[in-house]
Amino acid sequence: MTNGLNVAVLGATGAVGAEILALLEERRFPVKTLKLLASPRSAGTHLTFGGETLGVEALNDTAFRGIDLVLASAGGSVSQQWLPKAVAAGAIAIDNSSAFRMDPNVPLIVPEVNPEAAQAHQGLIANPNCTTILMALAIWPLHQVQPVQRLVVATYQSASGAGARAMEEVKQQARAILAGEDPVAEAFPLAFNLFPHNSELNELGYCQEEMKMVNETRKIFSAPGLRISATCVRVPVLRAHSEAINVEFDRPFAVSEAKQRLIEAPGIKVVEDWGRNYFPMPMEASGQDEVLVGRIRQDISNPNALELWLSGDQIRKGAALNAVQIAELLTIPTPVAV
Ligand code: NAP
């Protein structure tokens, strides 16, 4: 680590933080120094990066001194409290939480969709919600050909979307059930079950996760009137979210053209073998950068609509990869090497 940026990863011990560290290394991001930040619970533990063992520090008042870039994934309340301090100390912060996503002064970026918005940042940039990123990536190439009028989406969200501990909990629940014991559910009862999303419901009956898909997609697409309805469900899958999406246009959209546009789109891999009944699966999407899209077909109930199915690694493209790609878009002055 010689030339490059002074980077802090806030939430380094979490599911997203671990993936950020792996991606910084894998993509040879220009890291000069790296600071690993987490809660006091993890202070003194160690992680490796670039062959070096680094200590994890508890977040504190001087943590952002001399830092150029903060990649944050420690939850909304931590971001709310600490990222304005990081920006005041001179850093650019890219946040994985929902704390600032709908702030009109904070760009909300999917690099394949609206990279230009990153240039207008005032120190803070928000990474969208994971299900929103996956959907935006698949719908944007079609929206470029014919503006989308309406999206109806059902999500199938993995346990790890709720963090490293939720993923461990579903394994423990499965072991307990198979051993004939009562499973313990601190996060949610997910093993051998489906769980309608556990975030707060609004007066219309939509949960926060569903409204994030509505509001964030509109912001990313600069399409405030886009009609979207979402149903979000947690499924007993360890990693990678899936989505069934109905996409309505103002006139018919040929399936062949939709498939071709998605084949050409960055960040997408079309996975369809109709003869073998082979389509995207979360197990195969896990660990991949690309979002897998398939079952692209005509909606038999509406001549102006298509149906498609996707699976994407929500820790990777839905969080860490998207955040690192945003950082790669920025022209941050690198400190002079001595
Ligand atoms: P996680 O596995 O539970 O990790 C949370 C991280 O935040 C840990 O490093 C934890 O440190 C740290 N942390 C918690 N409280 C803290 C505090 N008071 N001060 C400093 N650090 C603190 O969660 P995650 O899944 O990585 O999610 C992190 C964020 O990314 C959340 O906002 C989440 O909504 C968002 N996100 C997650 C996903 C996903 O698929 N998991 C996708 C998109 C966005 P300790 O280890 O010390 O507790």
Side-chain angles (χ1 to χ4, degrees):
M1 293 189 247
T2 48
N3 287 312
L5 301 173
N6 297 308
V7 178
V9 175
L10 169 56
T13 52
V16 176
E19 203 67 29
I20 288 174
L21 295 177
L23 282 158
L24 290 175
E25 208 169 330
E26 205 179 299
R27 295 171 75 89
R28 297 178 189 281
F29 190 85
V31 176
K32 183 180 179 202
T33 65
L34 183 64
K35 186 175 271 196
L36 306 178
L37 298 168
S39 80
R41 288 181 291 275
S42 303
T45 60
H46 292 85
L47 297 171
T48 54
F49 182 83
E52 289 182 37
T53 301
L54 301 174
V56 178
E57 297 172 40
L59 192 49
N60 63 74
D61 279 330
T62 57
F64 301 114
R65 206 174 274 167
I67 295 293
D68 305 304
L69 174 69
V70 180
L71 294 164
S73 59
S77 56
V78 176
S79 289
Q80 197 88 50
Q81 185 185 348
W82 290 91
L83 294 190
K85 295 181 187 178
V87 172
I92 293 176
I94 301 174
D95 184 27
N96 275 288
S97 84
S98 59
F100 301 101
R101 287 182 190 147
M102 295 313 296
D103 183 328
N105 296 317
V106 175
L108 184 66
I109 312 283
V110 178
E112 293 84 350
V113 176
N114 61 340
E116 67 291 344
Q119 305 312 327
H121 76 82
Q122 298 169 24
L124 257 174
I125 299 178
N127 211 41
N129 164 266
C130 46
T131 47
T132 306
I133 293 175
L134 305 182
M135 181 169 79
L137 208 59
I139 301 304
W140 182 249
L142 308 181
H143 188 63
Q144 297 311 285
V145 183
Q146 275 175 222
V148 171
Q149 304 294 307
R150 181 170 180 243
L151 294 168
V152 180
V153 55
T155 70
Y156 302 66
Q157 298 182 221
S158 65
S160 56
R165 257 177 265 167
M167 184 160 66
E168 279 316 303
E169 192 181 274
V170 74
K171 290 184 199 168
Q172 283 166 11
Q173 288 173 2
R175 277 188 218 107
I177 291 171
L178 291 172
E181 297 161 9
D182 285 337
V184 177
E186 273 172 29
F188 25 67
L190 198 56
F192 304 103
N193 196 16
L194 300 178
F195 193 71
H197 226 274
N198 57 339
S199 59
E200 205 176 299
L201 298 170
N202 70 11
E203 67 288 355
L204 299 172
Y206 283 81
C207 72
Q208 285 175 352
E209 186 84 355
E210 291 160 351
M211 292 314 297
K212 284 176 190 172
M213 293 192 81
V214 174
N215 295 324
E216 294 180 20
T217 306
R218 288 173 172 169
K219 181 171 174 176
I220 297 160
F221 280 23
S222 297
L226 183 56
R227 289 181 294 143
I228 307 173
S229 181
T231 301
C232 292
V233 179
R234 192 77 68 185
V235 298
V237 163
L238 292 179
R239 182 162 173 159
H241 290 352
S242 300
E243 302 178 21
I245 311 174
N246 183 278
V247 197
E248 188 179 330
F249 304 89
D250 61 354
R251 56 188 190 283
F253 195 128
V255 169
S256 56
E257 160 123 37
K259 182 169 176 177
Q260 191 53 38
R261 293 290 170 161
L262 289 165
I263 286 171
E264 290 163 7
I268 298 278
K269 186 152 120 195
V270 172
V271 173
E272 290 197 320
D273 184 339
W274 291 86
R276 282 201 301 133
N277 199 1
Y278 175 65
F279 300 105
M281 290 184 282
M283 210 176 259
E284 291 191 352
S286 294
Q288 289 209 40
D289 285 352
E290 286 87 10
V291 173
L292 312 184
V293 181
R295 296 205 68 201
I296 306 156
R297 63 199 192 279
Q298 177 67 51
D299 173 351
I300 54 168
S301 72
N302 181 349
N304 294 347
L306 298 175
E307 293 278 0
L308 56 86
W309 168 257
L310 64 78
S311 294
D313 188 323
Q314 92 291 343
I315 304 181
R316 216 166 162 90
K317 182 55 189 170
L321 174 60
N322 200 72
V324 173
Q325 286 175 315
I326 293 171
E328 290 168 348
L329 289 174
L330 302 172
T331 40
I332 307 172
T334 48
V336 179
V338 283

